[in-house]
Amino acid sequence: MPSQPTIGLLGGGQLGQMLCEAASPLNIPIAVLDADDAPAKQINRNQHHVAGSFKDADKIRALAANSDVLTVEIEHIDTEVLEQIASDATRPVAVHPSWKTLRLVQNKYEQKAYLASKGIPVAEQLAIDTTPGSFVASLKEAGAKFGFPWMLKARKDSYDGRGNLKIATGSDAELAQAEAEFGHVACYAEKWVPFVMELSVMVIRQEDAAGNTTKVLPYPVVETVHEDNICSYVYMPPRGLVGAELETVSAKAQKVACSVIEQLWGRGVFAVELFVTKTGDVLVNEIAPRPHNSGHLTIEAMPYMSQFKAQLAAILDLPLPNKLEPHVDSAIMINVLGGVGADSHQKLIDLAQSTFASKLGVYVHMYGKAAKPSRKIGHITLTGTRLSIKELETLAQPLTQLAQEIRQ
Ligand code: ATP
Ligand code: MG
Ligand code: MG
């Protein structure tokens, strides 16, 4: 690899943009494959970019030709072409995380079947038969097996809950709607998890050239709150867990998350989304093989090794610390979603920019995306120094309330 290797990035949305922000002061060039006005290209001009779609195999090859190593900001991509690029006889280009990881993770059913086979706790699941004439019978079988509610999930291409349908009662009307929406989609049924809290753990994975794991390092555990299947808030540390309980649940969540990431291939940062039940059990919901919404607050909470800097360090084999500890006592991330009007979110940004208090940091990140209802167009991070998560939550309340109002 040259002394200043170029990273080729498939996808130039907000994750790519924040990766470029982390790369800039380190002088690490990033070639982006996406449309010319994509968020990552808006802040990173260079001669290596490729214009086009990360779904286009020829464009991915063109990106590889401009790069020394490839990475992704999205898992919904063509892994066949990545496999060919990684094993090319004349000029192989490494792909991190490995195409094997991306191929496994992009199919949520296969992902969880694999984790279950490795002894990792996941919700029970059942394949749905989408052959015409069998679909509804298959849904009924899931209802009989799991009871109600249960979750119908697309195997591939889902994000922000687009691809999930809660089956509440199994009524004829509900099953007819499920057939209309999912009848032609490879999907599966998942047992409902009556969780008391959702957690997420970001994990850094490094390996040597032979593919042996050299480091699996977890970030502090965060609590994620989803509304309508979309992540709206992230809290560090999780609210409602104090003292010994925080220690116990955090240790368990980090242990499960690390055992998940140990089963994968390649370098990078990964998110492990978790459910916590009222008996304190931790189940894995899904993996994201890349920086993740739940890790955005690391930009300010752990500036020496944000999740984006960690992605660069993991891919380029740069030094990593032995432990990841925050520089603040608490942090909250609020997602800015588009509202009904093009400027509905502006009053939230204005309020954030006029919020000052001692020991409080407020940081606005807007991604340069057009506002559409429920589209993630930015986020706001609040950090507290010598403020508990409860105290920070109180200070954040006007912002969380306004964020909620915009979404309605
Ligand atoms: P992402 O944007 O995180 O990739 P996604 O479209 O892949 O989202 P999931 O993570 O499967 O969707 O689900 C979104 C949310 O729906 C979860 O965070 C959780 O709040 C809820 N959910 C998903 N599966 C279940 C389940 N089996 N039981 C209860 N709630 C669930
Ligand atoms: Mg997902
Ligand atoms: Mg999810």
Side-chain angles (χ1 to χ4, degrees), residues 138-157:
S138 193
L139 297 184
K140 286 185 175 161
E141 199 190 318
K145 185 172 160 82
F146 297 144
F148 295 96
W150 59 271
M151 193 74 106
L152 179 60
K153 291 192 176 186
R155 292 182 184 223
K156 285 187 154 188
D157 294 327

Side-chain angles (χ1 to χ4, degrees), residues 108 160-161 198 226 229 273 285-286 292:
K108 284 161 87 169
D160 291 346
E198 285 187 89
H226 293 77
N229 286 293
E273 298 179 7
N285 172 26
E286 63 167 346
H292 187 252

Side-chain angles (χ1 to χ4, degrees), residues 10 30 66 72 113 119 122 126 128 130 142 162 172-173 178 186 206 213 225 267 271 299 317 343 355 368 408:
L10 279 81
I30 300 194
N66 289 358
V72 299
V122 292
L126 181 72
I128 293 290
T130 47
R162 290 165 223 218
D172 289 347
Q206 254 180 343
T213 313
V225 176
R267 303 185 198 148
I299 295 173
D317 213 12
D343 289 328
T355 299
Q408 282 154 6

Side-chain angles (χ1 to χ4, degrees), residues 343-383:
D343 289 328
S344 304
H345 58 279
Q346 193 53 46
K347 49 184 188 271
L348 176 61
I349 306 307
D350 293 344
L351 181 61
Q353 285 183 304
S354 59
T355 299
F356 299 101
S358 71
K359 303 180 283 187
L360 173 75
V362 182
Y363 306 91
V364 172
H365 297 253
M366 293 304 290
Y367 308 144
K369 288 163 76 172
K372 291 185 194 154
S374 297
R375 187 181 200 202
K376 287 176 186 165
I377 55 169
H379 75 266
I380 300 163
T381 297
L382 292 92
T383 58

Side-chain angles (χ1 to χ4, degrees), residues 82-277:
L82 291 181
E83 182 179 358
Q84 288 162 14
I85 288 168
S87 53
D88 187 86
T90 35
R91 187 179 174 268
V93 177
V95 179
H96 286 296
S98 163
W99 54 268
K100 265 174 86 174
T101 295
L102 299 170
R103 185 173 297 165
L104 177 73
V105 167
Q106 69 182 204
N107 185 322
K108 284 161 87 169
Y109 179 79
E110 300 294 344
Q111 179 195 138
K112 275 179 271 198
Y114 175 74
L115 294 179
S117 78
K118 298 289 178 188
I120 289 161
V122 292
E124 260 185 89
Q125 55 181 18
L126 181 72
I128 293 290
D129 184 352
T130 47
T131 339
S134 306
F135 188 74
V136 171
S138 193
L139 297 184
K140 286 185 175 161
E141 199 190 318
K145 185 172 160 82
F146 297 144
F148 295 96
W150 59 271
M151 193 74 106
L152 179 60
K153 291 192 176 186
R155 292 182 184 223
K156 285 187 154 188
D157 294 327
S158 42
Y159 67 99
D160 291 346
R162 290 165 223 218
N164 285 0
L165 184 66
K166 179 179 175 181
I167 307 293
T169 62
S171 68
D172 289 347
E174 208 177 25
L175 298 190
Q177 190 206 337
E179 188 171 29
E181 282 180 38
F182 285 76
H184 303 285
V185 179
C187 57
Y188 69 100
E190 200 172 283
K191 190 171 177 176
W192 192 260
V193 181
F195 58 81
V196 291
M197 197 179 1
E198 285 187 89
L199 300 178
S200 175
V201 184
M202 298 301 306
V203 181
I204 310 175
R205 183 182 202 281
Q206 254 180 343
E207 62 177 30
D208 62 20
N212 302 306
T213 313
T214 51
K215 195 155 213 163
V216 173
L217 185 64
Y219 276 90
V221 176
V222 298
E223 175 189 353
T224 56
V225 176
H226 293 77
E227 290 167 334
D228 295 329
N229 286 293
I230 302 183
C231 175
S232 36
Y233 311 110
V234 175
Y235 297 86
M236 184 194 75
R239 302 163 302 167
L241 288 178
V242 282
E245 205 188 357
L246 176 61
E247 300 282 314
T248 313
V249 177
S250 292
K252 196 189 266 190
Q254 285 181 321
K255 190 161 175 251
V256 170
C258 288
S259 63
V260 167
I261 300 313
E262 274 157 19
Q263 305 299 336
L264 302 179
W265 308 271
R267 303 185 198 148
V269 289
F270 301 79
V272 182
E273 298 179 7
L274 302 162
F275 296 130
V276 183
T277 66

